[in-house]
Amino acid sequence: MSDSPVDQERLKDKVSLILKVNYVTSALALVFAGVCYFGLNIKQIIPIVFIIFGVCNLLNIWAFHKHKNSTTTYHISSIIALISAFIITLYSGGINSSFIFTLGLIVFVGYVTTKRYGQVYLILVFCLVFLIFSQSIPDFSITKNVIPEVSKNLFNLLSVLFSIFLLGHIFGKNLLKTHHALYRSKKELTAQLEEKETLLKEVHHRVKNNLQTVSSLLSLQSRNVEEARMKTLLKSTQNRVISMAMVHEMLYMRNDISQIEYKSYVQELSEYLIRSIKGLDSKVQLKIDIPDIKLGIDTAIPLGLLINEAVTNALKYGFADEEEGEIYIVLKKELDKQYVLNIGDNGKGFPETITYKNSKSLGLKLIHNLTRQLKGTIQKDDSKKGTNYIIRFHEVTQQLHPAV
């Protein structure tokens, strides 16, 4: 998977910052070495370390242009800087040396890169500072201050200026530039995301309108059909279309267009089916037990169609015209995005000899096919009166080829 524009921008800025810091610190280190040797009369250790640091840093930059691995370049630079700053601090006054502040800059750059790297270098610098402090204890000291007494104040001044220059001109300036670039990228991405969400909501709205148009056409067509069986088929098809339209309508109405609150959807769908098939004076009671579950469209539509078929079959075949009855729908979420749907009625039921394979009922066949589409299993619960099912399924994250 390719990186997002923001990630690419961050990587580009990170590489730019690392290279710029390396170039500047290498040049300053070589200049500092000359000042120490010729201007401050520091002949031991310190100017040599500055030269080695500058040369190694330049070689590290040259190596980066070969392997293009910014993380490796960063770590090599940090390790060289840690070792060099540690040695210079030890031989320029130890815990009292102003050059010790450069160790803090290394920690700062670590946190700029990532929080994890910053924490690692923070621990390393803490350990080095305690080691430097131990050299101020006479019994443990194995190093000495090589800076002449007359040059100490000037060396400390140059060390402080060195740290301030790196912190302000290099890190501060580049971090501010990076911050503004990321802010612009984030603002652009937010605008693009809002535009896409608006377009998606409009798509759901149009799909809902188109499905309602299909439903209206089916309703008009059924009025011109006299045969009862054909009327029933058209009505069943209309209900299936409406069950899909309801999903798109709910997605359009919500701020989160990726998921719908399933309890309200099932409630609205089931109540519509009861009114449509049994009328407003129906004696069939509806019991729904669904927690606050949100499902994506790839799960919501096939599951909605499944519930539509089960409730429709119960209303058409489970209860006589004015007979009282009960339809229950229980949906529970288990581990690993697995769900259990208990759905059924206390109506007449049908013989055990009838299965979806030998049945002429399209609804029964659809229930089994939709269960497969949900990557689930279906079991008929014969311990209860009527027709009852236990369906276990997984949430579908992507559905390119519907199984129905």
Side-chain angles (χ1 to χ4, degrees), residues 234-251:
L234 288 172
K235 186 63 178 176
S236 297
T237 303
Q238 183 186 0
N239 290 342
R240 291 167 188 138
V241 171
I242 289 175
S243 73
M244 291 187 286
M246 284 182 181
V247 172
H248 290 282
E249 183 176 19
M250 288 189 170
L251 287 172

Side-chain angles (χ1 to χ4, degrees), residues 84-319:
S84 301
F86 174 67
I87 295 172
I88 292 172
T89 302
L90 278 177
Y91 286 92
S92 62
I95 200 69
N96 296 312
S97 173
S98 297
F99 203 82
I100 198 170
F101 292 115
T102 57
L103 292 170
L105 290 178
I106 296 169
V107 177
F108 179 73
V109 176
Y111 275 108
V112 168
T113 308
T114 64
K115 181 180 178 181
R116 182 166 59 90
Y117 292 157
Q119 290 174 338
V120 170
Y121 286 107
L122 178 64
I123 294 170
L124 284 175
V125 168
F126 265 126
C127 294
L128 291 178
V129 168
F130 278 111
L131 189 56
I132 291 169
F133 174 75
S134 70
Q135 296 304 295
S136 64
I137 304 173
D139 293 340
F140 293 96
S141 179
I142 58 174
T143 60
K144 64 178 181 176
N145 190 343
V146 298
I147 300 177
E149 190 67 30
V150 294
S151 302
K152 284 183 180 180
N153 289 337
L154 188 55
F155 177 83
N156 286 334
L157 174 64
L158 292 175
S159 297
V160 171
L161 292 176
F162 178 78
S163 300
I164 291 175
F165 179 79
L166 288 178
L167 180 61
H169 183 72
I170 304 300
F171 300 143
K173 181 180 177 181
N174 282 277
L175 283 176
L176 187 62
K177 179 182 176 183
T178 302
H179 172 75
H180 286 309
L182 288 176
Y183 177 77
R184 287 196 301 270
S185 298
K186 183 180 179 181
K187 193 174 180 180
E188 291 172 1
L189 286 175
T190 301
Q192 291 175 7
L193 182 62
E194 289 176 354
E195 183 181 357
K196 287 181 180 179
E197 286 182 350
T198 302
L199 289 172
L200 278 174
K201 290 188 76 171
E202 183 62 25
V203 167
H204 285 302
H205 184 58
R206 289 174 181 265
V207 170
K208 184 262 296 184
N209 288 342
N210 290 337
L211 289 172
Q212 286 182 336
T213 301
V214 173
S215 173
S216 299
L217 291 173
L218 290 170
S219 179
L220 289 171
Q221 186 66 46
S222 65
R223 294 175 188 176
N224 297 323
V225 175
E226 296 182 359
E227 187 184 352
R229 183 172 176 275
M230 186 58 69
K231 274 183 173 290
T232 302
L233 286 175
L234 288 172
K235 186 63 178 176
S236 297
T237 303
Q238 183 186 0
N239 290 342
R240 291 167 188 138
V241 171
I242 289 175
S243 73
M244 291 187 286
M246 284 182 181
V247 172
H248 290 282
E249 183 176 19
M250 288 189 170
L251 287 172
Y252 170 72
M253 297 297 292
R254 281 177 52 82
N255 290 327
D256 182 3
I257 59 174
S258 62
Q259 295 179 318
I260 66 170
E261 295 173 354
Y262 216 66
K263 181 178 181 179
S264 58
Y265 167 72
V266 172
Q267 185 84 36
E268 186 176 335
L269 174 62
S270 303
E271 289 175 353
Y272 162 77
L273 291 172
I274 292 174
R275 290 195 306 270
S276 175
I277 297 173
K278 289 295 185 179
L280 296 175
D281 299 326
S282 171
K283 295 180 181 180
V284 176
Q285 300 295 316
L286 181 65
K287 290 190 176 182
I288 295 177
D289 182 11
I290 300 176
D292 293 332
I293 292 175
K294 295 179 182 179
L295 296 175
I297 189 171
D298 292 321
T299 304
I301 287 182
L303 183 61
L305 286 170
L306 189 155
I307 292 172
N308 174 84
E309 298 304 324
V311 172
T312 299
N313 283 352
L315 293 169
K316 287 169 60 177
Y317 308 117
F319 311 108

Side-chain angles (χ1 to χ4, degrees), residues 313-332:
N313 283 352
L315 293 169
K316 287 169 60 177
Y317 308 117
F319 311 108
D321 294 337
E322 300 296 328
E323 188 178 357
E324 295 182 358
E326 179 182 292
I327 295 175
Y328 69 91
I329 305 171
V330 181
L331 180 62
K332 293 181 180 179

